[in-house]
Amino acid sequence: MAPLLELKNYSTHYVSARGTRVVKAVDTVSLVLNSGETLGIVGESGSGKTTLALSILRLLPMAARKTDGEILFEGEDLLKKSTEEMRQIRGKRIAMILQDPMASLNPLFTIGDQVSEPLRVHEGTPRRTAWQKATALLKAVRITAPETRVREYPHQMSGGMRQRIVGAMGIACEPRLLIADEPTTSLDLTIQAQYLALLRDLQREHGLALIFITHNLGIVAKMCDRVAVMYAGRLVEFGPVRKIFDQPRHPYTRALLQSIPRFADSRNRLTAIGGQPPDLSAPPLGCAFHPRCPDAIDRCRGEAPPETGTTNGHTVRCWVAGS
Amino acid sequence: MKKFILQRLTYSLISLFLLSLTIFLFVRLTGDPTVLLVEPGASKEDMAMIREQLGLDRSLAVQYASFVKDIVRGDFGKSFYYRTPVLELYLSRLPSSLFLAAAAMVFSLVIGIPSGIIAAVKVGKFWDNFGKVFALLGLSMPQFWVGLLLILFFSVYLGWLPSSGSGTIWHVIMPAFALGWFFAAAHMRITRSSMLEVLGSEYVKLARLKGLPEKRVIVKHALKNALIPVLTLAGINLVLMVNVAVVVETVFAWPGIGRLLYEGIAFRDFPVVQTTVLLSGSMIVVVNLVVDVLYAVIDPRIRLGA
């Protein structure tokens, strides 16, 4: 079976107005995602996770002038679609949830209006039917008293409710793929757990594929089938979640896993990765991680490592671990 | 909150007091009104008599005190020239000014809002720059000059529009344009900046992620939010338009309160000038007070910082 989503050597480069500065926000990324699977994308802030997600939906800021490679969705290259074709895909076949539920809802329109909007636009559902469906969707994301809530405004909802409403909007047209950009960062822990359980239920019921963008490795371990670790715009390690957690091969992945604070840990200090994330407009030569890497060898300083080792779909970009 | 309103109210009263004192003194700098009221060659005795009738023979302090006392009682005095109560004159002219201001407001919004939206959507492109030039001209060209150019072109060359007076819908077009351009420019600029802010918001991003057509994103999701500050400004501007149309009303011989003020100055009709200025000032002070209080109701930072 062909994968639902496949990226082949995909890059997004931001080019400055005069063309003198190039920021490689996403650089030669390849990955696959099957129907019904969950992919976690992890990495530090600024490693290109959100740019990658917006690239799939072709909603990059205007400055992103240069894209390269292929994004195959259900076998078709999204980069070759027209603007209008892309619009019909957004919200209908691929939906995305943003990280801030407080700011994601328009303050001037009712919940029902906003949740039913994708249905009305993509499927031409008449207003009344769309509102009934919106009520059902609110119920599906476990909003209590959906019949009254549907007529209320965003400011009347709590943060957790708003995030669930945004989720309801995402699944309104039963998309094949839902991208969630740090969907739980602004929620407290109990609401977070509820929301994740909800997403998993929705995934099972609708056969959704999920992409989870997060820096919370705990969520990745619980939710995901595969993990992509990004560093400085590149995928440094990609593979099944068990393999990555049990036998991380890239030094950066190992460092990430070690930096999770543990309750039972007897050490007094938190473990951090030394050094600073690189400046993407002037990344270090060779492997972008080498200045912070404990295992760096001479070769890492001169040459960027290729993607190697495809046993069970586990790949890594590292001279040391890859050979 | 109570303290805040009281404080603002006090400021408003102080401004009105200063305004009344200033206009009282300044209007007396224009000269002796009796010279304009008597026949040429009138005797000194006649002039002294008229001066006494008008109460201008008393000291400034006494005149000012009686002026303030009368106003507090609601009496704005009689016009030297028309010999009728000033308030009656003012109220008979007010509808014309309101009509002109309303027309100028419609014009400024019809031009300002769409061009602001286009400028925000096409930021940095041709229409954005075109709009900037249009706004700059509107803000910098003096109204009397715009008015004269309009008369020259549309009345003298083309003969399409009447050059002055009032009565038909055609009469209001040019004065409304001359008065409204400045405000159209202001409304365009605030629409543009407000739209730019809203277009960068998360809910507009989400509207795009939902796959809505761009037109729907802009008109439904962005515009409605962006209009809030525009309408606040338009509300304050409407009051300004009623009161600052002196030049435009004079150029087009429009019978509004602006021209009443102009006539009052020309005839040294002290009660007319004092009343018109004071009532205009009160209108502006009251609107600002209301806006201040409403903002304080909405925003706790203003309320508590006061």
Side-chain angles (χ1 to χ4, degrees):
Chain A
M1 193 184 71
L4 179 71
L5 180 76
E6 186 171 9
L7 269 64
K8 287 184 181 166
N9 293 319
Y10 177 77
S11 308
T12 299
H13 294 176
Y14 290 103
V15 183
S16 68
R18 286 187 195 144
T20 46
R21 268 166 57 101
V22 176
V23 175
K24 296 179 175 178
V26 173
D27 198 35
T28 52
V29 165
S30 300
L31 52 80
V32 283
L33 178 66
N34 293 317
S35 290
E37 267 187 357
T38 305
L39 166 70
I41 301 180
V42 294
E44 289 164 315
S45 306
S47 60
K49 301 174 304 234
T50 302
T51 303
L52 182 61
L54 290 174
S55 298
I56 295 170
L57 284 151
R58 294 230 336 247
L59 269 180
L60 290 170
M62 290 300 275
R65 283 280 176 236
K66 230 176 127 241
T67 58
D68 196 32
E70 282 175 63
I71 300 178
L72 299 171
F73 178 71
E74 295 181 324
E76 296 169 68
D77 191 352
L78 294 181
L79 297 177
K80 295 201 174 89
K81 298 272 180 199
S82 72
T83 316
E84 177 59 21
E85 283 172 324
M86 260 332 279
R87 184 188 68 71
Q88 286 170 5
I89 290 171
R90 276 180 221 128
K92 167 97 175 124
R93 288 158 70 197
I94 307 176
M96 183 164 166
I97 302 173
L98 299 171
Q99 43 182 302
D100 187 352
M102 292 298 171
S104 293
L105 293 170
N106 192 323
L108 300 183
F109 297 98
T110 56
I111 301 300
D113 184 301
Q114 298 187 57
V115 175
S116 65
E117 202 169 19
L119 289 165
R120 280 180 285 139
V121 168
H122 289 297
E123 295 172 7
T125 316
R127 206 180 170 81
R128 182 176 299 212
T129 327
W131 269 67
Q132 282 163 0
K133 278 199 182 168
T135 316
L137 282 165
L138 291 189
K139 206 169 169 185
V141 296
R142 299 187 200 127
I143 300 273
T144 44
E147 296 83 5
T148 46
R149 288 300 189 182
V150 80
R151 279 190 300 275
E152 291 184 346
Y153 288 88
H155 71 267
Q156 293 165 296
M157 312 284 150
S158 69
M161 282 166 90
R162 287 191 217 188
Q163 188 57 295
R164 277 177 282 163
I165 287 162
V166 172
M169 227 181 270
I171 56 163
C173 292
E174 302 194 2
R176 306 279 296 127
L177 170 62
L178 181 66
I179 304 172
D181 188 358
E182 304 187 19
T184 57
T185 31
S186 55
L187 303 179
D188 65 54
L189 280 176
T190 42
I191 308 284
Q192 210 175 66
Q194 279 176 23
Y195 189 66
L196 292 175
L198 173 73
L199 280 180
R200 223 171 9 202
D201 289 351
L202 292 172
Q203 178 177 35
R204 218 170 292 139
E205 280 163 38
H206 300 279
L208 268 177
L210 270 175
I211 294 181
F212 244 98
I213 298 174
T214 181
H215 27 233
N216 187 332
L217 288 166
I219 291 179
V220 172
K222 248 183 283 169
M223 297 283 296
C224 298
D225 303 306
R226 295 183 204 229
V227 191
V229 182
M230 284 190 83
Y231 186 80
R234 293 197 158 198
L235 220 59
V236 291
E237 190 161 5
F238 175 60
V241 69
R242 278 290 126 239
K243 283 231 163 186
I244 302 254
F245 272 78
D246 295 344
Q247 300 154 352
R249 294 175 66 192
H250 198 282
Y252 177 64
T253 316
R254 280 208 300 274
L256 267 188
L257 290 169
Q258 274 159 15
S259 65
I260 306 174
R262 275 169 231 280
F263 195 62
D265 206 327
S266 56
R267 287 171 300 173
N268 290 324
R269 292 178 63 91
L270 293 171
T271 329
I273 304 173
Q276 292 293 320
D279 172 6
L280 289 184
S281 64
L285 271 178
C287 171
F289 188 60
H290 85 254
R292 303 167 79 185
C293 183
D295 307 339
I297 54 172
D298 278 348
R299 199 171 188 186
C300 305
R301 289 176 189 98
E303 251 180 294
E307 214 154 56
T308 48
T310 42
T311 48
N312 298 328
H314 188 170
T315 61
V316 63
R317 268 184 201 269
C318 180
W319 287 120
V320 180
S323 54
Chain B
M1 190 68 199
K2 225 178 193 169
K3 194 181 142 209
F4 174 81
I5 294 175
L6 232 86
Q7 191 186 28
R8 282 297 134 114
L9 209 62
T10 317
Y11 287 154
S12 304
L13 288 174
I14 293 172
S15 335
L16 285 178
F17 165 74
L18 289 175
L19 180 66
S20 72
L21 190 63
T22 317
I23 192 63
F24 175 86
L25 292 175
F26 269 81
V27 73
R28 273 158 181 77
L29 291 178
T30 54
D32 184 359
T34 46
V35 182
L36 301 173
L37 289 170
V38 296
E39 304 272 315
S43 67
K44 283 219 157 119
E45 290 73 37
D46 287 347
M47 283 175 68
M49 202 180 74
I50 289 174
R51 213 171 281 137
E52 201 190 317
Q53 268 178 12
L54 300 177
L56 295 172
D57 55 335
R58 298 171 294 172
S59 75
L60 280 183
V62 174
Q63 285 185 47
Y64 181 70
S66 89
F67 166 57
V68 172
K69 206 174 80 193
D70 286 349
I71 283 176
V72 172
R73 286 208 317 260
D75 178 6
F76 289 90
K78 272 186 181 173
S79 159
F80 293 170
Y81 183 76
Y82 293 101
R83 310 265 169 183
T84 50
V86 177
L87 195 62
E88 258 174 46
L89 272 176
Y90 182 85
L91 291 179
S92 73
R93 297 291 189 93
L94 190 60
S96 282
S97 277
L98 290 176
F99 179 55
L100 175 60
M105 177 54 76
V106 169
F107 167 77
S108 76
L109 292 179
V110 164
I111 298 289
I113 293 178
S115 56
I117 296 168
I118 293 168
V121 173
K122 305 267 175 209
V123 64
K125 303 257 178 68
F126 172 77
W127 284 111
D128 185 22
N129 292 322
F130 181 84
K132 275 182 196 154
V133 171
F134 175 81
L136 192 65
L137 284 178
L139 291 170
S140 54
M141 277 164 69
Q143 286 176 355
F144 74 89
W145 191 58
V146 173
L148 291 176
L149 286 181
L150 288 173
I151 291 175
L152 198 63
F153 192 67
F154 287 103
S155 305
V156 179
Y157 285 157
L158 297 174
W160 288 356
L161 295 169
S163 65
S164 66
S166 68
T168 69
I169 192 81
W170 304 108
H171 284 96
V172 81
I173 294 177
M174 287 197 294
F177 184 90
L179 179 62
W181 193 354
F182 177 87
F183 294 97
H187 293 156
M188 184 213 133
R189 288 166 57 122
I190 195 171
T191 305
R192 179 179 181 273
S193 65
S194 169
M195 268 303 270
L196 281 177
E197 195 185 320
V198 172
L199 284 174
S201 72
E202 289 286 295
Y203 55 81
V204 165
K205 205 169 168 192
L206 190 71
R208 291 204 171 111
L209 285 172
K210 280 200 247 176
L212 306 186
E214 192 59 18
K215 213 167 158 188
R216 192 183 174 108
V217 172
I218 288 166
V219 174
K220 181 179 169 183
H221 286 273
L223 183 58
K224 206 172 163 188
N225 282 284
L227 278 185
I228 298 170
V230 180
L231 294 181
T232 313
L233 180 74
I236 297 170
N237 279 348
L238 184 64
V239 180
L240 279 181
M241 284 174 175
V242 173
N243 293 296
V244 301
V246 181
V247 171
V248 169
E249 288 185 5
T250 306
V251 169
F252 290 97
W254 184 264
I257 53 175
R259 200 154 133 253
L260 182 66
L261 178 62
Y262 172 78
E263 290 164 3
I265 295 169
F267 294 128
R268 295 179 196 157
D269 198 340
F270 297 169
V272 167
V273 176
Q274 285 166 183
T275 305
T276 317
V277 169
L278 207 55
L279 287 178
S280 294
S282 315
M283 231 191 266
I284 291 166
V285 164
V286 167
V287 166
N288 277 305
L289 180 69
V290 169
V291 170
D292 272 359
V293 170
L294 283 182
Y295 274 153
V297 169
I298 295 164
D299 194 339
R301 286 171 303 178
I302 298 175
R303 193 164 66 223
L304 301 175

